[in-house]
Amino acid sequence: MTQSHPRISKAVIPAAGLGTRFLPATKATPKEMLPVVDKPAIQYVVEEAVSAGLDDVLMITGRNKRPLEDHFDRNYELESALGKKGDAERLAKVQESSDLATMHYVRQGDPRGLGHAVLCAAPHVGREPFAVLLGDDLIDPRDPLLQRMIEIQERHGGSVIALMEVAPEQIHLYGCAAVEATAEADVVRVTGLVEKPDPADAPSGYAVIGRYVLDPHIFDILRKTEPGRGGEIQLTDALQQLTEDEKVGGPVHGVVFKGRRYDTGDRGDYLRAIVRLACEREDLGPDFRTWLRSYVAEEMQQR
């Protein structure tokens, strides 16, 4: 008989990073607020959490991140102006972000790494399992990764991390998992983790991407975790301890993701994400694709 585990209702979104790869654009604007077509990247992430049934969202912020709170709050002056103009379409778009979820915010203070950012969520989360969504990773809504991860966690308990197979020369950019196969093709048992290994030392080609469903025992471990790679408290190091002793917080499973993912933390991938999502929009796609084909053809002729 399959054991039942507590239903997950809370999502944590770390958003305290400085966004240095996008300077000077992020000097005064949080990187999470950079638009992907006509919505800030962070709204896609909140929408993903809500689609998975998580309507209690805690955002871990830092200095200069006030625009994140403003975006998910009501803007009565703007709403009133749009209402008076009879612009119902834009009014609905403005109100959509403030109606998405119950939003909470806490400041990280010192930028001490992802593990420390997750630890800041402990008072809000309590002793419940919870999801962590990194704002740099956008998962296409047609590929319900988070729902699948929640399903696995509720069935097996413990923690679940998202994995994606990457080329050997890219593995040093990610946390990397040692895995064992299970009876389900897209689910593996995680037996070890290492943060940003050299390709020669990588235990597999499976990279950890920015989605986690975590057992609350992770907080107990993070409180004792010493700074690791880069002098920061690494979530990967804490998860490694969970893989070493299943009795502490249950097993660690991985869901192998083969869907559409957009890395908006990288400038090139950010641009590609905008192009892909714009091409697929019903209101923008037809004209944009026509222009894009023409532009590419002209560029090819000139080379």
Side-chain angles (χ1 to χ4, degrees), residues 164-179 191-208 229 236 240:
M164 176 177 279
E165 195 162 12
V166 301
E169 60 271 18
Q170 293 183 318
I171 198 66
H172 72 283
L173 300 172
Y174 300 88
C176 180
V179 302
T191 59
L193 289 157
V194 59
E195 180 68 18
K196 297 181 178 178
D198 291 331
D201 300 326
S204 75
Y206 287 117
V208 181
R229 193 175 183 93
T236 304
Q240 164 63 23

Side-chain angles (χ1 to χ4, degrees), residues 5-274:
H5 295 275
R7 174 67 188 172
I8 298 170
S9 63
K10 295 178 180 177
V12 174
I13 302 178
L18 298 176
T20 54
R21 286 183 289 180
F22 278 85
L23 286 171
T26 51
K27 179 181 178 181
T29 301
K31 65 175 182 176
E32 296 85 4
M33 289 301 296
L34 294 178
V36 180
V37 189
D38 56 2
K39 284 193 298 190
I42 194 68
Q43 184 169 334
Y44 289 88
V45 180
V46 174
E47 288 173 348
E48 179 187 350
V50 172
S51 294
L54 312 181
D55 57 3
D56 184 321
V57 178
L58 174 67
M59 203 168 289
I60 313 298
T61 67
R63 297 177 184 87
N64 302 321
K65 298 286 185 168
R66 181 60 185 270
L68 293 171
E69 299 184 35
D70 290 342
H71 179 72
F72 292 101
D73 198 359
R74 300 292 298 273
N75 186 326
Y76 293 101
E77 294 83 359
L78 177 58
E79 292 177 25
S80 177
L82 292 171
K84 291 177 181 178
K85 290 171 61 177
D87 195 338
E89 181 179 353
R90 288 189 175 88
L91 177 59
K93 289 181 178 180
V94 168
Q95 292 175 332
E96 181 183 11
S97 60
S98 57
D99 294 336
L100 270 175
T102 302
M103 302 294 298
H104 309 271
Y105 304 91
V106 64
R107 283 197 174 192
Q108 183 177 7
D110 296 327
R112 297 171 58 192
L114 177 58
H116 181 260
V118 171
L119 184 56
C120 290
H124 180 78
V125 170
R127 302 308 295 180
E128 304 173 23
F130 64 103
V132 174
L133 299 85
L134 303 191
D136 287 346
D137 277 341
L138 301 191
I139 304 297
D140 195 291
R142 294 167 294 184
D143 300 314
L145 170 62
L146 189 57
Q147 288 96 318
R148 177 61 169 158
M149 295 174 66
I150 291 173
E151 174 193 339
I152 297 302
Q153 196 281 336
E154 290 180 342
R155 192 192 313 165
H156 298 289
S159 297
V160 182
I161 62 178
L163 302 174
M164 176 177 279
E165 195 162 12
V166 301
E169 60 271 18
Q170 293 183 318
I171 198 66
H172 72 283
L173 300 172
Y174 300 88
C176 180
V179 302
E180 295 177 350
T182 71
E184 297 177 90
D186 66 331
V187 180
V188 294
R189 186 71 169 266
V190 178
T191 59
L193 289 157
V194 59
E195 180 68 18
K196 297 181 178 178
D198 291 331
D201 300 326
S204 75
Y206 287 117
V208 181
I209 60 175
R211 297 294 180 272
Y212 309 80
V213 178
L214 301 176
D215 182 273
H217 283 90
I218 195 73
F219 296 131
D220 302 328
I221 296 174
L222 284 169
R223 291 186 182 98
K224 301 175 184 178
T225 300
E226 295 294 328
R229 193 175 183 93
E232 297 181 335
I233 298 175
Q234 299 290 348
L235 181 59
T236 304
D237 293 342
L239 286 167
Q240 164 63 23
Q241 293 189 47
L242 285 182
T243 67
E244 293 173 354
D245 187 357
E246 183 177 316
K247 296 178 182 178
V248 173
V252 179
H253 286 90
V255 170
V256 180
F257 182 62
K258 296 183 179 180
R260 288 154 286 200
R261 166 184 175 255
Y262 312 111
D263 181 3
T264 59
D266 174 84
R267 289 174 298 175
D269 278 351
Y270 171 76
L271 294 173
R272 284 185 281 272
I274 293 174

